Amino acid sequence: MTNRSQMPRRADAPVRLHLPAAERERQIIEAAAQFFSDNGFEGQTRELAKTMGITHSAIFRYFPTKDALIERVYEHVFVARWDSAWKALICDRSLPLEARLIQFYSEYTERIFDARWMRIFMFAGLKGHPMTHRYVALIRNQFIKPCCNELRVDLALPSIASVAMTPREEELFWGLHGAVFYVGIRTFIYEVQTSPNRAEVIRDQVQTFLAGAPRILREAVIASK
């Protein structure tokens, strides 16, 4: 009688790899990020399992719920790409504010300008997923507020610690951020041609912003006192 363990494997038989748990978990997160980018959060984990060639239950060995998987995708796609050193860069007064803003946006767009990031962000916003609110809060606290304070310093105005950031100031900086971000939207969501010279686009947006922002910021701070 032939021992089954000694029988040759059929050439077309699938190969099951017994991966370490951490590697399998990483693979699921990577695949889920692409899956949700393609299908939105309505995509079912059963279909995700099919695309990976694993059982549905295998996903739930690592992530007890779909929401838990989405949370890990958020950490992988959004949180992990945010550099905590950017806040220190914005506050580094050894450099002109213009240079700091240009460097930030050069590095930031290098991290987020890809189809998967943009599509997941759009799907999350349309679904009202909490990850959108958390990410917007991250931008506000780690970038918008420090930028506002640094421009006040340049203009010899009271710091945010003594006079709170006004809604008008905040919208001013969101305008700059939105102008740069919209290049990514046009590229990866609308799929239209944008300038191949991203460095020039960033420089133009920052210089245009700084040409008009000081007058508005002075008015906003003075009116708030």
Side-chain angles (χ1 to χ4, degrees):
M1 181 174 177
T2 304
N3 188 328
R4 292 184 63 86
S5 65
Q6 296 174 344
M7 294 177 63
R9 184 178 61 84
R10 285 181 20 226
D12 61 346
V15 178
R16 290 189 173 275
L17 298 178
H18 297 285
L19 297 174
E23 177 61 16
R24 176 64 77 190
E25 183 177 342
R26 184 196 66 78
Q27 284 189 350
I28 293 172
I29 294 169
E30 279 284 348
Q34 187 60 55
F35 180 78
F36 291 134
S37 170
D38 293 338
N39 301 283
F41 295 117
E42 297 299 325
Q44 298 299 308
T45 51
R46 191 174 300 279
E47 291 303 313
L48 169 61
K50 284 183 182 179
T51 66
M52 293 188 67
I54 62 176
T55 64
H56 191 215
S57 61
I59 292 177
F60 290 100
R61 281 201 292 271
Y62 297 92
F63 306 98
T65 64
K66 182 179 176 181
D67 284 343
L69 176 58
I70 292 173
E71 179 65 23
R72 289 297 303 279
V73 168
Y74 169 73
E75 292 173 4
H76 176 67
V77 175
F78 293 92
V79 177
R81 296 193 192 192
W82 182 266
D83 190 339
S84 59
W86 284 333
K87 183 176 181 180
L89 167 65
I90 293 300
C91 299
D92 181 3
R93 294 172 190 168
S94 68
L95 298 171
L97 182 56
E98 178 182 318
R100 287 177 260 167
L101 290 172
I102 289 173
Q103 183 178 337
F104 167 78
Y105 278 117
S106 297
E107 296 177 8
Y108 181 66
T109 55
E110 191 66 30
R111 299 277 184 98
I112 73 162
F113 273 21
D114 70 61
R116 188 169 67 174
W117 194 102
M118 289 287 174
R119 288 177 62 82
I120 290 177
F121 189 78
M122 291 297 105
F123 280 128
L126 289 170
K127 288 293 292 181
H129 195 279
M131 73 167 66
T132 306
H133 301 290
R134 280 185 286 167
Y135 191 76
V136 169
L138 175 69
I139 297 292
R140 183 180 189 272
N141 294 324
Q142 297 295 311
F143 177 70
I144 301 291
K145 286 182 73 174
C147 282
C148 179
N149 192 66
E150 291 305 305
L151 185 53
R152 284 192 186 191
V153 169
D154 277 6
L155 301 175
L157 293 170
S159 69
I160 287 179
S162 57
V163 177
M165 180 172 67
T166 67
R168 192 177 181 189
E169 291 174 277
E170 183 172 348
E171 290 303 324
L172 193 65
F173 281 96
W174 276 118
L176 168 62
H177 193 76
V180 175
F181 189 79
Y182 191 59
V183 176
I185 297 294
R186 286 162 51 221
T187 303
F188 299 105
I189 303 300
Y190 300 160
E191 297 183 339
V192 298
Q193 186 174 356
T194 57
S195 172
N197 192 339
R198 189 187 302 168
E200 181 180 69
V201 171
I202 290 170
R203 184 177 68 249
D204 289 349
Q205 292 294 345
V206 168
Q207 290 178 347
T208 299
F209 170 80
L210 291 175
R215 179 181 64 81
I216 298 172
L217 195 134
R218 284 192 184 97
E219 290 177 2
V221 174
I222 290 170
S224 70
K225 287 184 178 180

